[in-house]
Amino acid sequence: MTRFREHSQGAMKSYREELWFQTKTRRAYLNITPQVREAVKKSGIREGLVLVNAMHITASVYINDDEPGLIQDYDAFLEKLAPQAAPYRHNETGEDNGDAHIKRQIMGREVVVALTNGELDFGPWEQIFYAEFDGRRRKRVLIKIIGE
Amino acid sequence: MTRFREHSQGAMKSYREELWFQTKTRRAYLNITPQVREAVKKSGIREGLVLVNAMHITASVYINDDEPGLIQDYDAFLEKLAPQAAPYRHNETGEDNGDAHIKRQIMGREVVVALTNGELDFGPWEQIFYAEFDGRRRKRVLIKIIGE
Amino acid sequence: MTRFREHSQGAMKSYREELWFQTKTRRAYLNITPQVREAVKKSGIREGLVLVNAMHITASVYINDDEPGLIQDYDAFLEKLAPQAAPYRHNETGEDNGDAHIKRQIMGREVVVALTNGELDFGPWEQIFYAEFDGRRRKRVLIKIIGE
């Protein structure tokens, strides 16, 4: 069951970059893999970990397939579990995004990806998505890379 | 879409700390951001990653807003999806916390946070919570920091 | 609330290993803690972080109890939320695993575990599981360790 091992050793480096988004719709699903790859390249780091996280609490970063039907399935699933129009205690504060805080918890805040030989260490279909649940305003994703 | 980049390089350091809790209620949601900030300060690490995880399997660590209505929404959502009083095969072992194991999976075990310039690299509303789903006994959270 | 602190400092190392699986059933839950422990030992790394992630997008890696009733509870919960036989837009592409993509998002893609004194830094009941939601073919888990 075990295959491919590798060791390396050196000085630690870190790299940080923000991605900014303003989606046109309240909910949106954006494939940000190219931007993360670009950040990895700029970092010059070859072995380590890449953290990619939403910096806002009504958005997610997750890894799955870039297939439009699947994205519709996710959206329908999340809207069924936490409908936008349902009553939320959070909305009594004047907000209207109680559903978005729940949708984000289901899909998660962050992904951590291995960095090997200067590349995202991915299986065949892994793609990094930014999932927006309360868009139409400027929001950020953080990329932090540590390694050597 | 890209803003703010930064490089650094040095020797790797690590730091470990446990937080202990005993909640008075079965379910509770505690903002532990101050304790994590304190650990970061004590670590002396300025660039890296901070892992914060529940060490027990009926509790979560997650990041979202510190707003009482939202916490009520999360609690109601989790109790609807996995009610405490529903039958669980796990409870046939003599346990009564089958619901808590499911609630914890929905909210997650851990968060990984970027550490930049000696601070938690957070968006405007991000707060770290310990979510207890089977409390009233001593339980632990682990903080592990690696970086330079 | 604070107990046990520790510092260390050194050169950064990394280690990578893949685990391969082919489950006999469509859904399966495998305790992979022994394989991860073995990888940690082989890495020679004593302080750091261990990332364990599914390399496929219809499988999860999660941490919880190794108790057969609990695993039945998880499976029933996931099948209720995203039944295999329900209609999915994703399945219109010719796939039949729309449910598996949703189940995986609920249970998560990855875990990040602290590595302390050369051991997985675990609470008393934490076990690492590979959860397969579309099995009966060869699929992989990645272990990436960084530290010193």
Side-chain angles (χ1 to χ4, degrees):
Chain A
M1 263 197 313
T2 297
R3 300 214 337 207
F4 194 99
R5 291 174 219 141
E6 162 186 315
H7 284 274
S8 63
Q9 187 150 353
M12 210 205 91
K13 289 202 287 186
S14 67
Y15 179 82
R16 178 194 194 274
E17 185 171 323
E18 289 177 6
L19 307 176
W20 286 72
F21 304 97
Q22 179 161 354
T23 63
K24 284 177 187 156
T25 49
R26 180 180 169 96
R27 295 203 300 277
Y29 302 82
L30 309 176
N31 186 338
I32 60 171
T33 318
Q35 291 98 313
V36 178
R37 286 220 161 89
E38 193 58 36
V40 165
K41 198 178 295 180
K42 283 183 276 183
S43 76
I45 298 173
R46 296 192 58 79
E47 296 293 327
L49 296 178
V50 182
L51 168 70
V52 188
N53 69 266
M55 298 185 78
H56 297 257
I57 53 190
T58 51
S60 291
V61 172
Y62 73 89
I63 287 175
N64 216 294
D65 198 2
D66 193 352
E67 196 282 298
L70 178 64
I71 289 169
Q72 289 177 59
D73 290 333
Y74 281 144
D75 195 66
F77 173 74
L78 294 168
E79 180 62 12
K80 187 178 163 197
L81 274 189
Q84 185 184 337
Y88 297 96
R89 302 296 299 260
H90 182 57
N91 292 354
E92 296 172 12
T93 64
E95 296 281 353
D96 70 349
N97 60 8
D99 68 305
H101 287 275
I102 293 178
K103 288 173 168 117
R104 123 65 174 260
Q105 285 312 118
I106 298 166
M107 293 301 272
R109 168 187 178 262
E110 78 225 5
V111 296
V112 178
V113 181
L115 181 52
T116 301
N117 290 331
E119 306 276 356
L120 297 177
D121 197 335
F122 266 167
W125 300 103
E126 291 188 278
Q127 298 286 321
I128 306 172
F129 274 82
Y130 175 66
E132 175 63 82
F133 303 118
D134 184 28
R136 295 176 296 200
R137 52 199 174 95
R138 282 169 61 71
K139 292 169 78 172
R140 285 180 289 164
V141 161
L142 177 63
I143 303 171
K144 183 89 181 186
I145 309 174
I146 73 166
E148 40 133 3
Chain B
M1 264 196 313
T2 299
R3 301 211 339 202
F4 196 97
R5 290 173 221 143
E6 161 185 318
H7 284 273
S8 62
Q9 189 150 351
M12 211 204 91
K13 289 201 287 185
S14 67
Y15 179 83
R16 179 194 194 275
E17 186 170 321
E18 289 176 6
L19 307 176
W20 286 72
F21 304 98
Q22 179 162 353
T23 63
K24 284 178 189 156
T25 50
R26 179 179 169 97
R27 295 202 300 277
Y29 302 82
L30 309 176
N31 186 338
I32 60 171
T33 317
Q35 291 97 312
V36 178
R37 286 220 161 88
E38 194 58 35
V40 165
K41 196 177 296 179
K42 283 182 276 182
S43 77
I45 299 174
R46 296 193 58 80
E47 297 293 327
L49 296 178
V50 182
L51 168 69
V52 188
N53 69 267
M55 298 185 78
H56 297 256
I57 53 191
T58 51
S60 292
V61 172
Y62 73 89
I63 287 175
N64 216 295
D65 198 2
D66 192 352
E67 196 281 298
L70 178 64
I71 289 169
Q72 289 178 59
D73 291 333
Y74 282 143
D75 194 66
F77 174 74
L78 294 168
E79 180 61 13
K80 189 178 162 196
L81 274 188
Q84 185 184 336
Y88 297 96
R89 302 296 299 262
H90 182 58
N91 291 355
E92 296 172 13
T93 64
E95 295 280 353
D96 69 348
N97 60 8
D99 69 304
H101 287 274
I102 293 179
K103 288 174 169 116
R104 123 67 173 258
Q105 286 311 117
I106 298 166
M107 293 301 272
R109 168 185 178 264
E110 77 224 8
V111 297
V112 178
V113 181
L115 182 52
T116 302
N117 290 330
E119 306 277 356
L120 297 176
D121 197 336
F122 267 167
W125 301 103
E126 291 188 278
Q127 298 286 322
I128 307 173
F129 274 82
Y130 174 67
E132 175 62 82
F133 303 118
D134 184 27
R136 294 177 295 200
R137 51 199 174 97
R138 281 169 62 71
K139 292 170 78 172
R140 284 180 290 164
V141 160
L142 177 64
I143 303 172
K144 183 89 181 186
I145 309 174
I146 72 166
E148 40 134 1
Chain C
M1 263 196 315
T2 298
R3 301 215 334 207
F4 195 97
R5 289 172 221 142
E6 163 187 316
H7 284 273
S8 63
Q9 188 150 350
M12 210 204 90
K13 290 201 286 185
S14 67
Y15 179 83
R16 178 195 193 276
E17 185 170 323
E18 289 177 7
L19 308 176
W20 286 72
F21 303 97
Q22 179 161 353
T23 63
K24 284 176 188 157
T25 50
R26 179 180 169 97
R27 296 202 299 278
Y29 301 82
L30 310 176
N31 187 338
I32 60 171
T33 317
Q35 291 97 314
V36 178
R37 286 221 161 88
E38 194 58 35
V40 165
K41 198 178 295 180
K42 283 183 277 183
S43 77
I45 299 174
R46 297 193 57 80
E47 295 293 326
L49 296 178
V50 181
L51 168 69
V52 188
N53 69 266
M55 299 186 78
H56 297 257
I57 54 190
T58 50
S60 292
V61 171
Y62 74 88
I63 287 174
N64 215 295
D65 198 1
D66 192 352
E67 195 281 299
L70 178 64
I71 289 170
Q72 289 178 59
D73 291 333
Y74 281 145
D75 194 66
F77 174 73
L78 295 168
E79 179 63 11
K80 188 178 163 195
L81 274 188
Q84 185 184 336
Y88 297 97
R89 302 297 298 261
H90 182 57
N91 291 355
E92 297 172 12
T93 64
E95 296 280 355
D96 69 348
N97 60 8
D99 69 304
H101 288 274
I102 293 179
K103 288 174 169 116
R104 124 65 174 257
Q105 285 312 119
I106 297 166
M107 293 301 273
R109 167 185 179 264
E110 80 225 4
V111 297
V112 178
V113 181
L115 181 52
T116 301
N117 290 330
E119 306 276 356
L120 297 176
D121 197 335
F122 267 167
W125 301 102
E126 292 189 277
Q127 297 286 322
I128 307 173
F129 275 83
Y130 175 66
E132 175 63 81
F133 303 118
D134 183 27
R136 295 176 295 202
R137 51 198 175 97
R138 281 169 62 71
K139 293 170 78 172
R140 284 181 289 165
V141 161
L142 177 63
I143 303 171
K144 182 89 180 186
I145 308 173
I146 72 167
E148 39 131 5

